[in-house]
């Protein structure tokens, strides 16, 4: 089950479950659409995987399966993979 991390790893922007601007890779590294399409050019800086739109969990399922509250943030920012 997806963790649905609450923020962008690059800029720390909030990305709640209902956000259409969240992007993830296969390892669930999470970025906002601005960072993903801008500086990262659609590639995860951690694993080199493709960044795609993160699905939204139906509101009725959030009670039983809540989104993660653990924030992952890299204060130095993110660099596009070489």
């Amino acid at each position: 089950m997806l963790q649905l991390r609450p923020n962008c790893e690059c800029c720390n922007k909030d990305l709640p479950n209902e956000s259409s601007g969240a992007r993830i890779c296969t390892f669930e590294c999470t970025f906002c659409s601005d960072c993903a399409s801008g500086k990262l050019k659609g590639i995860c800086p951690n694993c080199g995987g493709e960044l795609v739109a993160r699905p939204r969990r139906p509101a009725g399922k959030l009670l039983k399966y809540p989104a993660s509250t653990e924030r992952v943030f890299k204060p130095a920012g993110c660099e596009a993979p070489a």
Side-chain angles (χ1 to χ4, degrees):
M1 178 164 316
L2 290 175
Q3 290 182 338
L4 300 175
R5 295 178 185 165
N7 66 303
C8 175
E9 289 186 24
C10 286
C11 69
N12 208 28
K13 178 180 179 178
D14 288 337
L15 296 170
N17 172 66
E18 61 275 4
S19 175
S20 63
R23 304 290 180 263
I24 60 172
C25 71
T26 188
F27 291 100
E28 296 186 60
C29 301
T30 304
F31 305 94
C32 69
S33 58
D34 291 338
C35 289
S37 63
K39 65 176 97 177
L40 300 177
K41 310 241 183 292
I43 303 297
C44 177
N46 302 319
C47 70
E50 177 185 20
L51 294 172
V52 298
R54 181 184 73 188
R56 293 177 290 254
R57 188 162 295 152
K61 299 292 184 185
L62 282 172
L63 291 174
K64 186 172 182 179
Y65 305 104
S68 174
T69 58
E70 180 182 347
R71 296 179 81 86
V72 177
F73 177 54
K74 298 179 179 180
C78 295
E79 298 297 324

